[in-house]
Amino acid sequence: APCSCMSFNPETRRLSIGLDNGTISEFILSEDYNKMTLVKSYQAHQSRVIMILFVLEMEWVLSTGQDKHFTWHCSESGQRLGGYRTSAGACGLQFDVETRHVFVGDHSGQVTILKLEQESCSLVTTFKGHTGGVTALCWDPIQRVLFSGSSDHSIIMWDIGGRKGTAIELQGHNDKVQSLSYAHHTRQLISCGADGGIVIWNMDVERQETPEWLDSDSCQKCDQPFFWNFKQMWDSKKIGLRQHHCRKCGKAVCGKCSSKRSSIPLMGFEFEVRVCDSCHESITDEERAPTATFHDSKHNIVHVHFDATRGWLLTSGTDKVIKV
């Protein structure tokens, strides 16, 4: 069957290939990389294999499929150890060796965290912060932070190790996020998008959570009624206005009271966003200083590989070109 994904472990020269029919085929490459020998096959899924992750420390092969299942197998015996059905097709997969937690991102925008044992798994929790499907996951085992990229063009940093429930938004792409990588030594997050953009985020700065949007029937600045507030419109004999929200304070405001735009990099807004007039006056030039650098790869990025030892980023695109 056609290949759909692969995972390569350079230490063991083990190549795991997922197929369209749900099978995972495992090969060992020779030292000169001129020969590959089929070792075993796993009947992992009922349909196309989406992602594979080989965990050398556990001798596990983790995988997700189009059948909405996450499974893991023993790479020594080939035996299936367990599985879990996700709410939608999974498209992101990360694993923490220390705690045996697996992170699965799916097309509904949800991230599921499972605790794996040798032959069982339990649901720890689920995160839902994206308005589009999760397209990429990246786990930092040192800071214990999970990054999720989405088709809604955003990235969310979930602070799992701090146990504070903090979720930081990063807005720097004009199209869906295709891949995420993390450079531990420089504390930089690298995100690549379908718009061809490569964004290098400085994660060594103290970032702030975006506020929750407040509900109101009238503007929280000038008290003008919004268009659904019929009683106040009738009493004041005024036409209702459209509701907006300030990205800095979260207040519900009308267009007149939020006519300004500003970038708020420490909140993840590298592009200019709507803010109310009072918040616009309070934002200093220092606070507008960018915390990310932007680069144009000049092609629609499909796949990315980051080589941390050499500091190289390899991208392949829909234009059939590979760039380093």
Side-chain angles (χ1 to χ4, degrees), residues 212-229:
E212 288 189 22
W213 285 3
L214 302 176
D215 292 325
S216 179
D217 290 328
S218 57
C219 176
Q220 294 180 304
K221 294 293 183 179
C222 69
D223 202 38
Q224 285 272 71
F226 293 134
F227 63 82
W228 61 82
N229 189 352

Side-chain angles (χ1 to χ4, degrees), residues 35 43 107 143 149 151 201 211 230 234 257-258 260 315 320:
K35 184 182 179 182
Q43 299 301 318
H107 289 297
Q143 301 294 326
S151 58
W201 304 86
F230 297 113
W234 177 264
C257 293
S258 59
K260 303 290 197 308
T315 66
K320 304 179 183 178

Side-chain angles (χ1 to χ4, degrees), residues 157-181:
M157 181 183 80
W158 309 91
D159 182 9
I160 295 173
R163 300 182 183 277
K164 297 177 181 178
T166 310
I168 305 294
E169 284 187 47
L170 302 174
Q171 302 278 355
H173 287 279
N174 293 311
D175 206 335
K176 70 177 179 178
V177 180
Q178 297 280 52
S179 179
L180 296 171
S181 301

Side-chain angles (χ1 to χ4, degrees), residues 118-167:
Q118 188 60 34
E119 293 185 2
S120 66
C121 75
S122 57
L123 176 66
V124 177
T125 187
T126 57
F127 295 148
K128 187 69 184 289
H130 291 289
T131 57
V134 174
T135 52
L137 289 179
C138 181
W139 171 246
D140 174 15
I142 299 172
Q143 301 294 326
R144 307 204 66 74
V145 167
L146 179 72
F147 299 96
S148 61
S150 171
S151 58
D152 64 9
H153 311 177
S154 73
I155 301 163
I156 297 180
M157 181 183 80
W158 309 91
D159 182 9
I160 295 173
R163 300 182 183 277
K164 297 177 181 178
T166 310

Side-chain angles (χ1 to χ4, degrees), residues 270-284:
E270 293 289 334
F271 303 148
E272 290 191 344
V273 291
R274 181 185 294 272
V275 292
C276 65
D277 293 352
S278 56
C279 282
H280 186 269
E281 292 175 6
S282 69
I283 302 173
T284 64

Side-chain angles (χ1 to χ4, degrees), residues 32-251:
D32 60 4
Y33 288 89
N34 282 323
K35 184 182 179 182
M36 50 194 292
T37 304
L38 179 64
V39 179
K40 63 174 70 72
S41 291
Y42 311 91
Q43 299 301 318
H45 298 276
Q46 299 297 317
S47 55
R48 172 184 292 185
V49 182
I50 302 297
M51 294 197 75
I52 304 173
L53 197 60
F54 172 65
V55 184
L56 178 61
E57 293 85 349
M58 321 299 300
E59 290 289 344
W60 286 351
V61 177
L62 316 180
S63 65
T64 60
Q66 219 169 32
D67 57 1
K68 300 181 182 179
H69 272 86
F70 159 76
T71 65
W72 76 103
H73 291 74
C74 173
S75 62
E76 293 180 314
S77 65
Q79 178 185 355
R80 178 186 169 112
L81 299 176
Y84 183 87
R85 183 175 175 83
T86 56
S87 59
C91 39
L93 183 62
Q94 292 285 283
F95 182 73
D96 180 55
V97 174
E98 184 182 340
T99 62
R100 296 188 182 184
H101 284 155
V102 65
F103 308 95
V104 183
D106 63 42
H107 289 297
S108 73
Q110 181 173 284
V111 178
T112 303
I113 303 181
L114 304 170
K115 169 81 170 181
L116 300 190
E117 302 298 343
Q118 188 60 34
E119 293 185 2
S120 66
C121 75
S122 57
L123 176 66
V124 177
T125 187
T126 57
F127 295 148
K128 187 69 184 289
H130 291 289
T131 57
V134 174
T135 52
L137 289 179
C138 181
W139 171 246
D140 174 15
I142 299 172
Q143 301 294 326
R144 307 204 66 74
V145 167
L146 179 72
F147 299 96
S148 61
S150 171
S151 58
D152 64 9
H153 311 177
S154 73
I155 301 163
I156 297 180
M157 181 183 80
W158 309 91
D159 182 9
I160 295 173
R163 300 182 183 277
K164 297 177 181 178
T166 310
I168 305 294
E169 284 187 47
L170 302 174
Q171 302 278 355
H173 287 279
N174 293 311
D175 206 335
K176 70 177 179 178
V177 180
Q178 297 280 52
S179 179
L180 296 171
S181 301
Y182 189 72
H184 301 278
H185 59 295
T186 58
R187 293 198 65 184
Q188 290 176 312
L189 176 71
I190 304 165
S191 62
C192 300
D195 56 359
I198 300 174
V199 185
I200 314 296
W201 304 86
N202 178 10
M203 302 311 297
D204 211 19
V205 296
E206 192 68 31
R207 296 186 176 273
Q208 304 168 17
E209 270 192 298
T210 53
E212 288 189 22
W213 285 3
L214 302 176
D215 292 325
S216 179
D217 290 328
S218 57
C219 176
Q220 294 180 304
K221 294 293 183 179
C222 69
D223 202 38
Q224 285 272 71
F226 293 134
F227 63 82
W228 61 82
N229 189 352
F230 297 113
K231 184 180 186 303
Q232 190 176 344
M233 282 193 294
W234 177 264
D235 293 343
S236 62
K237 300 296 188 290
K238 292 179 180 178
I239 297 174
L241 303 176
R242 183 183 173 192
Q243 177 184 267
H244 300 282
H245 283 92
C246 173
R247 299 307 191 269
K248 190 173 193 300
C249 66
K251 288 184 177 178

